[in-house]
C-alpha cells in the first residue's frame, strides 16, 4: 500500500527532485525486469512503457517504420549485449538505441522482428532460475505481449524453429549491424541473403525516424539538458576551492545523479591547462594550475535521452589576456553560428561559416600567419556540431548536408586546441577552449536548450569570484 509518494520532477530544483516515498509495498506488483507504472509510479504514468514515452508512441513508431520498410522485407533488431568488465563483473547495461526506440524494452537478450506480414514480433530470453536468483527477474513472452504490445512473442529457444521461415519469405533483410548476434546470423537463410547482397543496415530506416523528435522526446531532452546545466553550474562554483580534474568530474556526475539522471552520456572530459587542447581527453587525473583554464565537455542521460554541453573557464576566477582574446573569438563564433540555426540550413553550412570566422580570427590574433594556412586543421579538426538524441552522435547515417527541420536537435560547439608544442604564438600555447550548446530547431528558428549555463566572460568571473568570497567567509566562520 502506498502511503506517501511525491512525483519526481526531472530537471527541477534539487529539493523538488527528491523522491518522497515513506512506504511503498511491491508485494502484489509483478516484476518484469524494468520499471512499470505499477512498480515505479514515481517514474512512469499509466500508459507509459518507459518514463515519458507512452505505449501509443511506441506503436506509432513501429507503424512509421513499416511505412518506410520496403515490401517483402524483414527487419531484425537485437538488444544490446551484456559487456563484461571481468569474468564475473558486468559493465552497467545500456540498451541499444534502435532496439529501445522500437520496443521500449530496457533489457538484454531480446530480438525484435518487424515485417509487413508478421507485424511486430519479439523473441524473449529464457528465464534461467540461476540467473533470476543472482540478477533478478526478466521480461518474458507474456510481458512482450502485454507491456511491449508485440503481436507475437516467443521464447528465444524457439528462434531456430520460427525465424528461418520468416527470413525465407523476405526479399531483403535489415538488421542492426552493431548488435548482430550469431543466433540469427548463423541461420542458413540469413547467410544466403548475406551472400547475395540482400542484407542491409536497419539504421538507414531507424535514423530517419529518430532524427525528428516528438513532443514527448523533446520534453525528456529539455529535462536532460536542464539537469546537466544545473550540475555543471554547481561544478563551476566548486572549481575555485577544488581545482582538480577528478574532483570536478565526480562533482558533475554526483549532481546529475541526484537530479535523476541514470548515467553520464559519455566519460566526462575535464581538461585543465594544456590537457584542454586534447579534444577527447578523458584521464581526468591532474591538478589544475592556478591561472589555467579548465574545459569540461559533459552530459548526462535521462531515460534514454542524452545532453551534451561544454564550458571553459578559469577556476581562479580571472581570464588572462591571451585566454580572453581566444575565448572571445570562440564565444562570438558560437553566437553567430546559433543565429544560423533554422529550418533549411545544414550542419555543413554552419560548419563552413565557422571555419571562415575562426580562420580570420586566428590570423588577426597572430596564431595563424595566413587564413588559408593548413595549420588550422591541427588547431581545430572537429565539426561545428552533430545531431543529438538517444545517442551523443545521434543518427550517424544522416548526412550533415541534410537541411535541418523543426524537431531536430543539434550541437553548436566551436573550439580551438593549441598544443604546447605549436610553433605559433608562444603566449597562446597550451590553451584549449570549447563552448558547446544544445540547439533545437523550431518553426521560426532555434531554441538553445543549454542557455541557462553562463558563457559570457563577465558572467563567469562574477560568478566564480562572488561564490569564492562567500565560501571563504563561510569556512572562516566555521573555524
Amino acid at each position: 500500500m502506498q502511503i506517501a509518494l511525491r512525483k519526481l520532477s526531472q530537471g527541477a530544483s534539487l529539493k523538488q527532485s527528491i523522491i518522497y516515498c515513506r512506504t511503498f509495498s511491491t508485494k502484489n506488483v509483478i516484476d518484469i525486469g524494468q520499471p512499470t507504472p505499477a512498480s515505479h509510479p514515481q517514474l512512469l504514468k499509466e500508459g507509459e512503457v518507459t518514463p515519458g514515452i507512452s505505449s501509443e508512441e511506441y506503436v506509432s513508431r513501429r507503424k512509421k517504420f513499416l511505412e518506410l520498410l520496403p515490401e517483402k522485407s524483414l527487419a531484425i533488431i537485437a538488444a544490446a549485449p551484456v559487456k563484461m568488465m571481468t569474468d564475473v563483473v558486468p559493465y552497467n547495461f545500456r540498451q541499444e538505441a534502435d532496439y529501445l526506440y522500437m520496443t521500449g524494452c530496457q533489457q538484454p537478450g531480446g530480438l525484435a522482428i518487424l515485417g509487413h506480414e508478421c507485424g511486430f514480433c519479439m523473441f524473449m530470453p529464457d528465464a534461467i532460475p540461476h540467473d533470476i536468483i543472482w540478477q533478478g527477474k526478466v521480461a518474458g513472452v507474456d510481458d512482450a505481449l502485454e507491456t511491449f504490445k508485440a503481436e507475437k512473442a516467443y521464447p528465444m529457444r524457439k528462434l531456430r524453429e520460427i525465424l528461418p521461415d520468416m527470413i525465407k519469405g523476405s526479399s531483403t533483410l535489415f538488421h542492426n549491424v552493431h548488435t548482430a548476434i550469431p543466433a540469427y546470423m548463423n541461420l542458413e537463410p540469413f547467410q544466403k541473403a548475406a551472400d547475395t547482397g540482400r542484407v542491409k543496415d536497419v539504421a538507414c530506416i531507424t535514423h530517419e525516424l529518430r532524427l525528428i523528435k516528438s513532443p514527448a522526446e523533446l520534453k525528456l531532452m529539455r529535462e536532460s539538458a536542464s539537469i546537466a546545466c544545473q550540475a555543471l553550474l554547481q561544478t563551476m562554483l566548486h572549481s575555485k576551492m577544488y581545482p582538480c580534474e577528478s574532483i570536478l568530474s565526480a562533482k558533475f556526475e554526483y549532481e546529475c545523479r541526484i537530479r535523476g539522471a541514470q548515467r553520464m552520456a559519455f566519460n566526462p572530459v575535464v581538461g585543465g591547462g594544456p590537457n584542454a587542447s586534447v579534444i577527447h581527453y578523458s584521464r581526468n587525473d591532474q591538478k589544475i594550475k592556478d591561472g589555467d583554464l579548465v574545459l569540461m565537455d559533459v552530459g548526462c542521460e535521462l531515460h534514454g535521452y542524452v545532453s551534451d554541453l561544454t564550458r571553459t573557464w578559469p577556476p581562479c576566477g580571472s581570464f588572462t589576456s591571451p585566454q580572453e582574446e581566444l575565448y572571445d573569438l570562440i564565444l562570438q563564433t558560437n553566437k553567430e553560428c546559433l543565429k544560423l540555426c533554422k529550418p533549411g540550413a545544414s550542419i555543413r553550412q554552419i560548419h563552413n561559416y565557422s571555419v571562415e570566422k575562426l580562420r580570420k580570427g586566428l590570423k588577426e590574433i597572430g596564431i595563424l600567419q595566413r587564413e588559408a594556412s593548413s595549420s588550422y586543421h591541427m588547431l581545430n579538426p572537429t565539426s561545428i556540431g552533430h545531431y543529438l538524441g538517444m545517442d551523443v552522435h545521434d543518427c550517424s547515417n544522416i548526412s550533415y548536408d541534410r537541411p535541418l527541420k523543426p524537431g531536430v536537435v543539434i550541437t553548436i560547439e566551436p573550439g580551438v586546441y593549441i598544443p604546447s608544442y605549436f610553433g605559433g604564438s608562444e603566449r597562446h600555447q597550451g590553451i584549449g577552449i570549447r563552448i558547446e550548446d544544445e540547439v533545437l530547431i523550431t518553426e521560426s528558428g532555434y531554441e538553445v536548450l543549454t542557455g541557462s549555463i553562463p558563457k559570457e566572460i563577465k558572467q563567469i568571473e562574477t560568478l566564480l569570484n562572488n561564490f569564492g568570497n562567500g565560501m571563504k567567509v563561510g569556512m572562516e566562520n566555521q573555524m
Side-chain angles (χ1 to χ4, degrees), residues 402-473:
R402 175 79 64 89
L404 298 171
K405 294 182 178 180
V408 174
V409 179
I410 65 173
T411 64
I412 292 295
E413 47 182 304
V416 62
Y417 315 96
I418 306 176
S420 299
Y421 54 80
F422 183 70
S425 170
E426 286 189 19
R427 66 197 196 105
H428 295 102
Q429 288 177 345
I431 296 178
I433 297 171
R434 180 162 63 251
I435 303 173
E436 178 182 16
D437 283 303
E438 292 180 33
V439 185
L440 165 65
I441 305 302
T442 65
E443 293 286 349
S444 59
Y446 67 94
E447 174 189 345
V448 180
L449 303 184
T450 49
S452 64
I453 192 81
K455 59 185 177 183
E456 299 287 344
I457 290 176
K458 293 303 180 185
Q459 290 177 339
I460 292 172
E461 290 183 338
T462 300
L463 181 76
L464 292 171
N465 291 318
N466 285 351
F467 178 79
N469 292 335
M471 279 286 292
K472 184 177 180 180
V473 171

Side-chain angles (χ1 to χ4, degrees), residues 89-318:
V89 180
Y91 286 103
N92 287 336
F93 179 75
R94 182 184 189 266
Q95 188 58 278
E96 196 279 327
D98 282 341
Y99 185 84
L100 178 60
Y101 184 84
M102 300 306 301
T103 69
C105 182
Q106 299 172 321
Q107 303 167 57
L111 204 65
I113 313 295
L114 291 106
H116 295 286
E117 293 186 10
C118 68
F120 172 43
C121 170
M122 293 186 79
F123 287 89
M124 304 302 287
D126 298 288
I128 302 172
H130 174 271
D131 291 343
I132 292 175
I133 292 172
W134 284 91
Q135 300 166 17
K137 294 184 178 180
V138 295
V141 170
D142 290 342
D143 304 308
L145 297 169
E146 296 172 13
T147 301
F148 307 123
K149 305 303 179 186
E151 293 160 63
K152 299 174 185 176
Y154 309 96
M156 190 62 81
R157 65 178 179 274
K158 292 191 175 183
L159 182 75
R160 299 184 67 85
E161 300 174 27
I162 299 168
L163 188 56
D165 288 337
M166 298 170 74
I167 294 176
K168 288 177 184 177
S170 305
S171 59
T172 306
L173 299 178
F174 293 83
H175 77 136
N176 189 328
V177 297
H178 299 295
T179 56
I181 55 175
Y184 72 81
M185 291 185 70
N186 289 344
L187 296 175
E188 184 180 350
F190 185 92
Q191 292 184 339
K192 284 185 176 180
D195 291 341
T196 54
R198 294 185 293 113
V199 176
K200 299 181 179 181
D201 189 347
V202 75
C204 67
I205 300 176
T206 55
H207 288 192
E208 291 289 342
L209 297 175
R210 285 168 47 193
L211 181 63
I212 297 177
K213 275 61 178 179
S214 70
E217 290 181 292
L218 290 176
K219 185 174 185 294
L220 287 170
M221 291 201 69
R222 284 190 177 94
E223 291 173 347
S224 181
S226 177
I227 289 173
C229 285
Q230 293 176 60
L232 186 54
L233 179 61
Q234 293 300 317
T235 306
M236 291 175 72
L237 297 176
H238 202 68
S239 67
K240 193 163 189 178
M241 294 297 298
Y242 302 97
C244 183
E245 293 172 353
S246 61
I247 292 177
L248 299 185
S249 177
K251 176 67 172 176
F252 178 79
E253 181 167 359
Y254 166 77
E255 295 291 345
C256 284
R257 285 183 174 271
I258 63 173
R259 287 170 171 80
Q262 284 75 53
R263 58 178 65 86
M264 297 293 91
F266 49 90
N267 192 44
V269 174
V270 188
N275 292 335
S277 66
V278 180
I279 297 169
H280 282 172
Y281 173 81
S282 61
R283 283 174 52 183
N284 302 344
D285 59 3
Q286 187 60 271
K287 182 176 174 59
I288 303 162
K289 295 179 181 178
D290 189 45
D292 278 352
L293 297 175
V294 61
L295 182 156
M296 285 195 67
D297 185 347
V298 290
C300 66
E301 181 175 326
L302 179 70
H303 307 310
Y305 291 84
V306 301
S307 49
D308 184 8
L309 68 154
T310 307
R311 290 294 185 267
T312 309
W313 72 94
C316 68
S318 298

